[in-house]
Amino acid sequence: MLVVVVLFATVLLRAVIVTTFVMLPKQRTCPRCGAQLALIRHTLLRVLVPAVEHRWCLDCGWSGVVRLRMPSTHP
């Protein structure tokens, strides 16, 4: 029974992580005011989760995590 609970918990945790990642904004503009976001460099964040960046809006002060854009493979 314990094995079933642990496996269910890992599946549920994966679903929460994927849902949270999909909800992160992709654009480099502020979700509040539309201004450009400045990159805040975090070495630990870059190592642990390389698919996201910490950004800050200079105009309204919004700070948050955004997804990295994947480079296009089309020429």
Side-chain angles (χ1 to χ4, degrees), residues 21-48:
F21 181 75
V22 169
M23 290 174 57
L24 291 175
K26 273 197 278 190
Q27 64 269 21
R28 303 254 196 262
T29 57
C30 179
R32 282 169 138 180
C33 67
Q36 289 293 322
L37 296 173
L39 175 64
I40 300 173
R41 295 178 191 250
H42 288 287
T43 308
L44 187 61
L45 182 66
R46 177 70 65 182
V47 170
L48 293 178

Side-chain angles (χ1 to χ4, degrees), residues 10-11 13 19-20 32 34 37 40 43 50 53 55:
T10 58
V11 169
L13 182 63
T19 304
T20 304
R32 282 169 138 180
L37 296 173
I40 300 173
T43 308
E53 297 181 323
R55 295 269 176 170

Side-chain angles (χ1 to χ4, degrees), residues 6-17:
V6 170
L7 290 175
F8 180 71
T10 58
V11 169
L12 188 61
L13 182 63
R14 286 181 185 179
V16 168
I17 290 171

